[in-house]
Amino acid sequence: MATTVVSGVQYSGIWTMQQVNSAIAAGTWPVPTVTGPRLFSWGDNSQGALGLGNRTNYSSPKQVGSLTDWLQICAGGYGNTSAGVKTDGTLWTWGSNAGGQLGLGNTTNYSSPKQVGALTGWTQVSTGRFSNTAAVKSNGTLWLMGAGSYGQLGQGNTTSYSSPKQVGALTNWATAVCANGGVRALKTDGTIWGWGYNPAGQVGDGTSITRSSPVQIGSLTTWAQINGVGNFTMAITTSGALYAWGSNEYGQLGTGNTTYRSSPVQVGSLTNWAYVAPQMYSAIALKTDGTLWSWGLNNQGQLGLGNTTNYSSPKQIGSLTTWLKIAGTYRNSYAITTSGALYAWGYNDNGELGLGNRTNYSSPKQVGSLTTWTTLSTFSGNAQNILAIGVNTV
């Protein structure tokens, strides 16, 4: 016989679903609290990048599996490839795999997360627009997989690999982000490095030459953060200064003009930038005072300024000072406040804003009523999907 405790009283016997539902409605059924970081996804799912075991689009958040051990995530890129690292240090990938970017030794697409090998110790992963994936281990080694047509795997060649391939023998890599056919990476010594596709100078080495091996960007050793997804790159120093380089046709570098740059140029003179999330042709950024800023292309209201006007220098979004996390795609943006509320705005044709509809918004709109969101990730290619981690959410 099953034994169930309801309202402190022990009952024996087999309960019907009607009795269980009645107890739940009356608030007397002991529903357990789910703890730990759970993974949610929504938006475009044509390649299975949402990890839900299907290819159905969703306009509101759906939980990916039932596990509560996700640590870091990266949403699908141009090829709709997603990846994540779990708290046990295992690496997982899913979605499109045309270039072998899932690292599973094949080119088969998967609509549910698949573990990459049996190794642990993975700490960070990023998926790229041109079918490549980068991942860093706790021992400081850097690994690439997928298409190598632009040298984006950093192996000194243009060969593709469908299993993780280590970049050199160095053990001082901190983070790596996949850009538009290339990679930007930060080392533990505060230097930044780039390689891959480089027609707009997005590698940052002062040229437009495609690089198949890592090259150092400038000589500074005070870089704290780097991010690059389209044909431009942005980075922040330990002093809080913001720099940008690469393409600038819509003013996405934030320098007040549309001039391309092939090496880092400072955005304004302020030193209170905390985090920057470059998109395909625009960018959003957080300051240390909790304010949120954006600039660049705004044709779908992705800047969150209540209009569709392009701006070539940073503009503040609203007046809140409680913004904590940000992410953006080609035509939409997302942010989490210090209270754990999730907001979205911009293009919404595939329901990628998670608002349960397909209406565009040019100002931030709260996604549901939950206030337990902790982390989110998108990719700024043409893919329109998002992955987000929430804690204790139902």
Side-chain angles (χ1 to χ4, degrees):
M1 288 291 185
T3 300
T4 306
V5 177
V6 181
S7 296
V9 180
Q10 181 172 293
Y11 292 84
S12 296
I14 298 175
W15 284 48
T16 67
M17 285 306 300
Q18 183 177 2
Q19 289 173 311
V20 171
N21 291 334
S22 296
I24 292 174
T28 57
W29 182 261
V31 179
T33 300
V34 178
T35 60
R38 299 197 293 162
L39 178 61
F40 293 79
S41 63
W42 61 94
D44 177 27
N45 196 29
S46 57
Q47 299 297 320
L50 298 188
L52 299 169
N54 58 42
R55 287 174 171 75
T56 304
N57 294 353
Y58 293 94
S59 62
S60 56
K62 300 293 181 184
Q63 186 175 347
V64 180
S66 59
L67 298 180
T68 60
D69 58 353
W70 293 98
L71 176 66
Q72 187 259 331
I73 50 175
C74 187
Y78 181 79
N80 282 291
T81 303
S82 298
V85 173
K86 291 187 177 182
T87 53
D88 62 1
T90 55
L91 176 63
W92 299 72
T93 57
W94 60 97
S96 177
N97 194 27
Q101 63 265 38
L102 297 188
L104 301 171
N106 58 44
T107 55
T108 303
N109 295 349
Y110 295 93
S111 60
S112 298
K114 300 294 180 183
Q115 186 175 348
V116 180
L119 296 179
T120 60
W122 300 101
T123 59
Q124 185 254 334
V125 64
S126 174
T127 58
R129 188 181 178 213
F130 285 169
S131 302
N132 63 301
T133 301
V136 177
K137 286 187 176 181
S138 57
N139 62 5
T141 57
L142 173 62
W143 302 73
L144 273 294
M145 60 204 88
S149 52
Y150 294 102
Q152 63 262 49
L153 301 188
Q155 303 296 328
N157 56 40
T158 55
T159 303
S160 298
Y161 297 92
S162 61
S163 297
K165 185 81 170 176
Q166 187 175 348
V167 179
L170 295 179
T171 58
N172 62 344
W173 298 102
T175 59
V177 292
C178 291
N180 189 12
V183 175
R184 314 289 174 262
L186 176 68
K187 287 186 177 180
T188 55
D189 62 4
T191 60
I192 53 175
W193 299 70
W195 60 94
Y197 194 52
N198 194 30
Q202 62 263 44
V203 166
D205 65 343
T207 76
S208 58
I209 300 171
T210 294
R211 305 287 186 177
S212 60
S213 298
V215 292
Q216 186 174 349
I217 301 170
S219 59
L220 290 182
T221 59
T222 55
W223 298 106
Q225 176 200 144
I226 188 168
N227 210 341
V229 285
N231 284 336
F232 73 109
T233 308
M234 308 204 81
I236 297 175
T237 65
T238 53
S239 67
L242 175 63
Y243 287 79
W245 59 95
S247 64
N248 196 27
E249 59 267 50
Y250 297 104
Q252 59 262 43
L253 297 188
T255 53
N257 54 48
T258 55
T259 303
Y260 284 39
R261 304 282 186 167
S262 61
S263 56
V265 58
Q266 188 171 354
V267 179
S269 59
L270 297 179
T271 56
N272 62 343
W273 297 100
Y275 185 82
V276 62
Q279 299 165 249
M280 193 65 180
Y281 299 108
S282 57
I284 54 176
L286 285 173
K287 288 187 176 180
T288 54
D289 60 6
T291 57
L292 182 59
W293 299 72
S294 63
W295 58 93
L297 179 66
N298 194 30
N299 60 328
Q300 301 294 337
Q302 59 263 49
L303 298 188
L305 300 170
N307 58 43
T308 55
T309 303
N310 297 345
Y311 295 93
S312 61
S313 57
K315 301 292 179 183
Q316 187 174 351
I317 300 174
S319 59
L320 290 182
T321 59
T322 55
W323 298 106
L324 182 63
K325 300 285 184 67
I326 55 174
T329 74
Y330 177 29
R331 293 175 289 188
N332 35 50
S333 305
Y334 307 83
I336 296 174
T337 65
T338 53
S339 68
L342 173 62
Y343 287 80
W345 59 97
Y347 184 73
N348 195 30
D349 192 53
N350 295 304
E352 50 266 55
L353 296 187
L355 299 170
N357 59 41
R358 288 175 170 77
T359 304
N360 294 353
Y361 295 93
S362 60
S363 297
K365 299 293 180 183
Q366 187 171 354
V367 179
S369 58
L370 296 177
T371 56
T372 49
W373 297 101
T374 59
T375 304
L376 52 85
S377 174
T378 66
F379 185 84
S380 304
N382 291 341
Q384 304 295 328
N385 46 40
I386 180 170
L387 301 178
I389 292 179
V391 176
N392 290 336
T393 54
V394 178

